[in-house]
Amino acid sequence: MDDFSKATTTAREFITLSRHVLNQEGTFSADAYDLSALLGRIALAGKMISRHLSRAGLIAGALGVTGEVNVQGETVQKMDQFANQVFIRAFEQSGLVCRLASEEMEEPYYIPENCPIGRYMLLFDPIDGSSNIDVNLAVGSIFAVRQQSTATEHAGTADFLRSGHEQVAAGYLLYGSSTMLVYTLGKGVHAFTLDPSLGEFILSQESVMIPPHGSTYSINEGNFWQWEEPMRQYVRHIHSQPGYSSRYSGALVADIHRILFQGGVFLYPGTMKHPDGKLRLLYESAPLAMLITQAGGRATTGTQEILDVVPEALHARTPLIIGSSEDVALVESFLGS
Ligand code: AHG
Ligand code: MN
Ligand code: MN
């Protein structure tokens, strides 16, 4: 036995994200290289955000609020702005992405030097679960990649106002006890874990499938009296059943990650005051819907599949019921959908 075969490395440890994307595409075409480079830039942004988060308590001015309110009317955290800038910088002069849309920017961000060649748009939530930042709990980033059709600065938002079926890639980064990147190109769902000593995302699980049923339900029950009666009936039913556990972290990415691996359902329904709920379609619900659907699960507004929804505005919201197919179907049986 030679030294190499005695070593404890496994073949999987050599599967980095960029290599995996190329393998997934199955070709060495320009498109495959572009997507591989694109995921590589997202991974780079994720590593920079992860590094900043891991030392946030020691960096002057990293935590707390900026004093501004974003386009959603929500308080902006310094980390939201930092992460938004990181994604923009990661794509400047990349030749990959012409326009970016984010929760933290009212209008799409235009990168003129990329436009003659960059054929993709990036939609992202730079920090998901912002209220967890100052208390050192898990947060995430969500992303989706779509084909660019208009490469001009004043194209408006029409390009973005398409259904989730037009997503070419989608996924999230989870900044938890380890940093993970989970993505799909429409060919299954694959999970990578950041090895900080290598600075590389290494494949940790390929072709993840969500269990058809799970014991977790994930919903903010503080809103109980704001929901319509059918949603209250569903939750009362869950309370009356043995074997269900409530898990709600305040970060959609973290709750979805648990559900992807262990099954269950996440709900952010509309309320009487806000019938479309809280979560934004283009950079929260639709990317996660693509991912969970690819893993064999379901995502619906309660009346329509999330992937079929065509938004009327860049920051449009939708109710979201997402997770294991049987658990989503149970919710639907209460909603009469
Ligand atoms: P964001 O931090 O990007 O604004 O998203 C927060 C979202 C989501 O992550 C989480 O599931 C939900 O808001 C929590 O909202 P509530 O506090 O209303 O439950
Ligand atoms: Mn979010
Ligand atoms: Mn956010």
Side-chain angles (χ1 to χ4, degrees), residues 103 125 127-130 142 252 279-280 283-284:
E103 179 191 353
D125 178 356
I127 297 281
D128 174 65
S130 303
I142 308 173
L252 171 65
L279 301 172
R280 281 60 51 115
Y283 42 81
E284 290 183 315

